[in-house]
Amino acid sequence: MTASDDRRFMAEALRLSRQNTGLTGTNPSVGCVVVKDGEVVGKAVTAPGGRPHAETQALDMAGERSRGSTVYVTLEPCSHYGRTPPCANALVEAGVARVVVCLTDPDPRVSGRGLAILRDAGIAVESGLMEDEGRRAHAGYLMRQTKGRPHVTLKLAVSADGMLGRRGEEVAITGPEARAEVHRLRARSDAVLVGIGTVLSDDPELTVRIPGLENRSPIRIVLDRQLQLPLESKLVKTARDVPVIVVALPPSGAEAARGSAPSMKRERLIKAGAEIMDASDLDILLAVFAARGISSLLIEGGAVIAKAFLGAGLVDRILLFQGMGTVGEGGLESPLTPPDMPAGFALIRADNFGPDRCFDYERGF
């Protein structure tokens, strides 16, 4: 197998891994490709919900052709017993000859042990192929494992004159192609977050509304310190269909005791199907999200939310969509406009979506 063959098959494994990003719970969405005599004989991605794993599915597809094959996998095969036996052991039992791994697993239950099981069985093991691409594909899982918080992507739509819109007024900054890409971003995210200002101005639904992907809508989170979220908002009306978490300041004992307006609003929101979470610190909030299995968080809020997360150093990726039109005097100025970016970020690509541009910035690994 040549180096170019290895890259081609690993690229296919990475493509597979992205198919179920946002659907595999606390498990990573891993891609696996089994190759025998230059032909793909089995391939799979971690199933929705996290089970079964990619390796066992791909080996089952390959059957007897697994023996003597080369297996390409985007993350080190697991080595611990959970609800299923270790994938490293399954590869050994299948009689594969070589395993090429993109990334080692930072999970302390695995972290090199999976590779050791393979090597001890006489299997040729190589790791680190297309590592940067693998880190992007598994960014949420890696961030939750290494830093105890979700991977955070900040999305902003900016007009040609550097504005986000107008206060109290919904303004279309980008066209349908760019807006469709935002829906695809939601489909790949565990949760999407906005501030109460965005809700009061735009009354967004924050669901995925691309035909065939509607069931991939993420958890919707609103930072709403004073519980201003209207009961008649689209978010509240659909809370029983797609989860809504309202993050508020903790009530004082006196407020709860006297049945204050915030306490009554809290009860009404809960009765409507929303969950109330009390938090006053972003770091703690993200740690709680990670503990609940949220690995990827998409921020779609306005300038206030963007500045808060950027100021706290909690943004890992920035997607800056730039429309062709202008907002003019009285617009809400964006905290970011291309080509200026915060220190530590680098432009990794620029794409066109119809007439609009999207600049993709990434914090260094």
Side-chain angles (χ1 to χ4, degrees):
M1 205 79 71
T2 67
S4 63
D5 288 332
D6 284 344
R7 289 188 65 86
R8 176 163 59 92
F9 291 125
M10 184 60 78
E12 171 65 8
L14 288 165
R15 185 192 65 78
L16 283 168
S17 76
R18 296 186 185 97
Q19 288 183 0
N20 283 353
T21 299
L23 295 179
T24 55
T26 57
N27 286 346
S29 178
V30 174
C32 179
V33 175
V34 182
V35 177
K36 183 72 173 288
D37 299 327
E39 177 189 356
V40 175
V41 295
K43 61 181 180 179
V45 59
T46 306
R51 296 286 193 283
H53 289 183
E55 296 95 324
T56 54
Q57 294 181 82
L59 291 172
D60 285 345
M61 181 183 295
E64 282 301 314
R65 292 175 294 179
S66 298
R67 192 162 300 279
S69 66
T70 295
V71 175
Y72 298 84
V73 61
T74 60
L75 191 68
E76 177 181 3
C78 64
S79 58
H80 60 285
Y81 284 84
R83 285 188 288 171
T84 56
C87 289
N89 294 39
L91 290 164
V92 172
E93 292 169 7
V96 307
R98 178 173 174 248
V99 175
V100 182
V101 174
C102 180
L103 298 172
T104 55
D105 193 337
D107 186 334
R109 297 172 300 175
V110 183
S111 197
R113 294 182 180 87
L115 301 184
I117 289 172
L118 299 174
R119 290 192 177 106
D120 289 347
I123 296 172
V125 177
E126 298 170 31
S127 63
L129 179 63
M130 301 181 70
E131 188 170 357
D132 284 353
E133 292 90 337
R135 288 186 179 276
R136 293 185 182 105
H138 293 301
Y141 174 76
L142 296 175
M143 186 64 67
R144 192 166 55 81
Q145 284 289 339
T146 59
K147 295 190 177 180
R149 67 167 176 84
H151 181 272
V152 176
T153 297
L154 171 64
K155 187 279 298 183
L156 291 171
V158 184
S159 65
D161 57 347
M163 301 295 172
L164 298 176
R166 292 182 181 277
R167 190 174 303 280
E169 177 183 345
E170 186 174 5
V171 178
I173 300 293
T174 55
E177 295 91 346
R179 290 196 292 273
E181 176 61 15
V182 173
H183 283 261
R184 287 188 284 271
L185 285 169
R186 291 176 187 169
R188 296 192 294 268
S189 301
D190 293 324
V192 57
L193 181 148
V194 297
I196 186 60
T198 296
V199 176
L200 295 177
S201 294
D202 302 342
D203 191 21
E205 194 168 342
L206 302 178
T207 53
V208 177
R209 296 187 295 280
I210 295 176
L213 295 180
E214 296 91 344
N215 65 336
R216 296 187 64 157
S217 291
I219 296 169
R220 299 167 298 169
I221 302 167
V222 184
L223 296 189
D224 183 11
R225 296 164 65 90
Q226 305 300 327
L227 292 179
Q228 297 175 270
L229 181 62
L231 295 171
E232 66 275 12
S233 66
K234 291 177 183 175
L235 286 170
V236 175
K237 286 183 176 179
T238 58
R240 297 194 185 281
D241 302 316
V242 180
V244 172
I245 298 175
V246 183
V247 181
L249 287 175
S252 68
E255 285 179 334
R258 69 172 180 262
S260 64
S263 295
M264 294 171 64
K265 182 63 173 293
R266 179 180 294 255
E267 292 175 6
R268 292 191 183 106
L269 287 170
I270 292 172
K271 187 175 181 180
E275 177 185 350
I276 310 297
M277 181 182 294
D278 296 321
S280 55
D281 180 274
L282 290 180
D283 287 285
I284 294 175
L285 180 64
L286 291 189
V288 172
F289 289 160
R292 294 178 56 152
I294 294 175
S295 298
S296 55
L297 178 66
L298 175 65
I299 297 177
E300 291 194 42
V304 173
I305 296 296
K307 288 178 180 177
F309 276 85
L310 287 168
L314 295 173
V315 176
D316 305 297
R317 183 187 182 196
I318 299 168
L319 290 172
L320 193 55
F321 290 83
Q322 187 169 47
M324 300 292 289
T326 60
V327 172
E329 187 176 351
L332 295 170
E333 188 173 346
S334 173
L336 301 173
T337 54
D340 300 325
M341 278 293 111
F345 284 84
L347 178 67
I348 59 171
R349 72 174 60 85
D351 296 310
N352 292 320
F353 293 96
D356 306 315
R357 296 275 283 162
C358 178
F359 299 91
D360 190 343
Y361 299 88
E362 184 180 76
R363 187 192 294 275
F365 294 136

